[in-house]
Amino acid sequence: MFAALLLAYAASRSSAVVSTPVFFSFAIPTYAAVVAALVWHGIRHSRQLEKLSITDTLTGLPNRHALHLDYARICRKEQELAVALLDLDGFMLVNDHYGHAVGDRTLRVSADIISEICQGEARVYRLGGDEFAVFKSGPVAATLLEGLCRRIVERLAKPVRVEERRLTLGASIGLARTTAAQQLGSPELLRQADVAMYASKRGGKARCTWFSHQFDASREQTREMDEELRSALANGEFTLHYQPLIDCDSSKIVAVEALIRWPRPDGTFTAPDTFIPVAEESGLINPIGLLVLRRACLDALDWNGITLSVNLSAAQLRNPEFPIQLGQILEETGFAPERLELEITETCLVHDPVVAERSLSVIRNFGVSIVLDDFGTGYASIGFLRRFRFEKLKIDRSLVSQAGQDDGSRAMMLSSITVARAMKMAVTAEGVETEEQAQMVRAAGCDQIQGWLYFKAMPASEIPQYLDRPIDIAATTVAAAIETKEGKVA
Ligand code: C2E
Ligand code: CA
Ligand code: CA
């Protein structure tokens, strides 16, 4: 183009000395060439801009905007349209462990893998972060897309090579479909796929889930419960009950576990298993958890030096403020940190081990113990136990009850106790309901027993009467009856 401009400039300079016909025969085509070059350059530039606006710069894949444009172009022509939303399961860990440069390379490698599987069959997009979409239209689009997604899940379940590293990622996928007749717009289709993707995550990750309208209904219920929880917190509706842990040797109460209760103004009770997951999702678990901690520390202050166990949610452990808040509560209440143990489950650690490890080490420095709750329900390995060094393991009720019935579960329970002992961890058997179970876990080497055989959870005011003396099982059935009368759900 510069050459054309120079030519035009030279033509205008020399125009004074050349004759008029010569001038016209030379200058007009030159000007025309300049204008054409400018127009061509402008078009090329605007095309480049347009391409940039629909391309993800990191992976070179089309982006979210491109997906909406493609959908608008295709939706009237095709009978069936389906979209899959894919989220990489382990990507956060890759970023945390290896930094953003490796994270970026991992995204490029993942983009290549997904594109290779979908090549020629469906279009792949990167929506942002570690989220990708796959769009398929035409006859039986939904079935074909599901097949592709299953292959992607299978492939990403295997380690992925990023330079010299082998990383395990995994993919959770949500699928949504529509027909031309339904006239569902692309934002709604993507929203549905997103809801389905979260169902895949909740269901255990590394899977595909189709959107169902029931998901929306349960979302609505969750939203309602979230509002009710907010007002319950503001109105001070939550209370605490305590379930004793009995020492196997002395038969005395050596600890109590604080369990939250929600007596509703209408006289009904909602079980913590129902409302805690809702509070976890909305983040409300943070203020609720602090309330539990503060209340429990105050209640247990005068309970003759026994240990206080408080449950901690994954969301609380993920909150970087938590260790500071815990320190403040210990200071305010004057509760001895050595008397406090926090119960966490494996999921607290699996999803974000780096942050969790950091927080746990601060908490331990206060003198507070960490207990692995619900052991036997997940996949906790010996390596896992060694990495996090728990002070105690709580063997889950399901394992205790199964151990009484089949040899496999019994062997698993026994080996868990052996491993815990070898790692210098104490062991509590949870959910012990019968004399036979109590005898079995005692013989297996458990240190403490917790379960309805001895006590159900009870209000703080009833704990002191049972302290400092061996527990007679027959007498404790009274305490159990009280809680049943309250309508407590197990
Ligand atoms: P968890 O931590 O495993 O607590 C033990 C649960 O088993 C309690 O149910 C307890 O009442 C019940 N249980 C104890 N012994 C027996 C028994 O012998 N048989 C049977 N069938 N059940 C027994 P609860 O109080 O309904 O709590 C359920 C779960 O809710 C807890 O399980 C815990 O995960 C969560 N939770 C309760 N309170 C809190 C809290 O303050 N914070 C957090 N984050 N979670 C809590
Ligand atoms: Ca617990
Ligand atoms: Ca438990």
Side-chain angles (χ1 to χ4, degrees):
M1 194 188 67
F2 285 113
L5 283 171
L6 276 174
L7 217 61
Y9 174 72
S12 64
R13 297 264 309 179
S14 54
S15 61
V17 289
V18 292
S19 65
T20 308
V22 173
F23 169 77
F24 278 115
S25 66
F26 180 69
I28 288 179
T30 308
Y31 274 114
V34 171
V35 170
L38 282 171
V39 168
W40 175 79
H41 180 73
I43 291 172
R44 206 173 68 138
H45 188 64
S46 78
R47 276 201 190 132
Q48 271 170 349
L49 280 179
E50 199 181 298
K51 189 153 183 252
L52 268 180
S53 77
I54 56 169
T55 307
D56 169 54
T57 44
L58 181 72
T59 59
L61 286 174
N63 62 13
R64 186 184 288 270
H65 182 49
L67 172 57
H68 290 305
L69 292 177
D70 288 349
Y71 186 91
R73 187 165 42 76
I74 292 168
C75 74
R76 274 179 295 277
K77 288 189 233 150
E78 296 283 9
Q79 273 311 302
E80 200 173 325
L81 305 126
V83 70
L85 201 140
L86 183 156
D87 188 280
L88 296 177
D89 292 332
F91 182 70
M92 278 242 299
L93 292 183
V94 172
N95 254 350
D96 273 357
H97 274 288
Y98 304 111
H100 290 274
V102 177
D104 284 355
R105 268 170 254 143
T106 308
L107 287 174
R108 273 188 228 120
V109 170
S110 309
D112 289 347
I113 291 172
I114 302 166
S115 303
E116 203 184 302
I117 292 174
C118 297
Q119 203 173 29
E121 294 191 56
R123 200 147 190 237
V124 180
Y125 306 78
R126 176 169 175 240
L127 303 186
D130 58 348
E131 261 188 12
F132 296 86
V134 187
F135 176 39
K136 173 96 187 139
S137 60
V140 289
T143 314
L144 295 173
L145 184 62
E146 186 180 329
L148 291 172
C149 288
R150 291 200 182 285
R151 282 173 56 198
I152 295 171
V153 167
E154 226 169 82
R155 173 62 194 88
L156 287 177
K158 295 180 191 145
V160 167
R161 185 170 282 282
V162 179
E163 292 168 354
E164 75 283 9
R165 295 183 180 86
R166 279 163 69 80
L167 306 174
T168 308
L169 292 169
S172 292
I173 300 186
L175 292 131
R177 73 184 103 188
T178 187
T179 58
Q182 271 180 324
Q183 300 263 317
L184 211 62
S186 51
E188 174 58 12
L189 199 63
L190 267 180
R191 184 196 70 81
Q192 292 186 356
D194 191 46
V195 169
M197 190 275 288
Y198 274 102
S200 281
K201 290 257 184 217
R202 273 198 300 273
K205 302 184 173 177
R207 65 195 62 210
C208 307
T209 308
W210 279 103
F211 173 78
S212 139
H213 286 287
Q214 276 171 356
F215 292 161
D216 275 346
S218 73
R219 273 200 156 189
E220 183 54 26
Q221 281 171 357
T222 305
R223 206 189 48 73
E224 271 171 27
M225 181 168 285
D226 187 56
E227 272 170 27
E228 289 164 358
L229 284 171
R230 269 170 218 281
S231 74
L233 186 65
N235 300 333
E237 287 171 21
F238 296 115
T239 59
L240 287 187
H241 278 190
Y242 297 89
Q243 187 181 30
L245 279 72
I246 313 295
D247 182 72
C248 283
D249 295 330
S250 66
S251 294
K252 287 184 183 169
I253 294 177
V254 281
V256 287
E257 178 177 1
L259 294 161
I260 193 167
R261 295 291 175 259
W262 184 14
R264 317 271 298 251
D266 63 2
T268 59
F269 278 78
T270 302
D273 279 337
T274 310
F275 69 82
I276 293 282
V278 177
E280 281 176 340
E281 206 155 303
S282 67
L284 213 56
I285 192 65
N286 288 307
I288 293 177
L290 293 180
L291 177 127
V292 169
L293 255 172
R294 187 172 286 114
R295 182 77 260 152
C297 285
L298 288 172
D299 282 347
L301 261 182
D302 300 328
W303 290 346
N304 297 0
I306 62 164
T307 301
L308 170 68
S309 275
V310 176
N311 291 287
L312 200 66
S313 286
Q316 284 176 274
L317 198 60
R318 267 202 307 271
N319 176 3
E321 300 286 305
F322 177 73
I324 302 160
Q325 293 163 334
L326 170 67
Q328 279 167 349
I329 289 176
L330 288 169
E331 206 171 297
E332 275 165 37
T333 59
F335 194 80
E338 298 73 28
R339 287 182 58 203
L340 181 65
E341 54 188 26
L342 297 177
E343 298 192 7
I344 60 173
T345 58
E346 210 182 308
T347 41
C348 291
L349 306 170
V350 168
H351 292 155
D352 216 337
V354 179
V355 177
E357 219 166 2
R358 224 176 285 143
S359 293
L360 289 183
S361 106
V362 178
I363 292 169
R364 276 205 174 95
N365 283 339
F366 292 151
V368 174
S369 302
I370 308 295
V371 177
L372 180 64
D373 202 359
D374 301 344
F375 185 78
T377 53
Y379 310 95
S381 62
I382 293 180
F384 179 87
L385 295 180
R386 194 180 293 137
R387 173 169 180 189
F388 291 104
R389 293 186 305 110
F390 304 99
E391 274 73 38
K392 188 163 95 182
L393 269 190
K394 285 184 95 171
I395 300 197
D396 191 64
R397 179 164 70 92
S398 59
L399 197 57
V400 171
S401 66
Q402 279 162 24
Q405 290 156 17
D406 72 273
D407 292 344
S409 306
R410 196 188 177 87
M412 190 174 152
M413 192 188 78
L414 290 174
S415 60
S416 309
I417 295 170
T418 312
V419 167
R421 294 231 152 282
M423 293 188 182
K424 311 237 175 324
M425 288 185 249
V427 183
T428 297
E430 277 193 304
V432 173
E433 292 181 343
T434 65
E435 245 328 326
E436 294 75 54
Q437 287 172 351
Q439 273 170 15
M440 177 185 68
V441 299
R442 261 199 198 97
C446 278
D447 302 282
Q448 300 162 354
I449 294 180
Q450 180 181 6
W452 292 355
L453 173 68
Y454 286 99
F455 294 103
K456 284 195 172 178
M458 61 183 102
S461 58
E462 289 172 28
I463 293 288
Q465 64 182 306
Y466 297 109
L467 298 178
D468 289 329
R469 60 182 175 85
I471 300 302
D472 168 13
I473 292 174
T476 64
T477 45
V478 181
I482 293 168
E483 211 185 34
T484 317
K485 244 188 358 209
E486 277 183 1
K488 148 88 178 63
V489 210

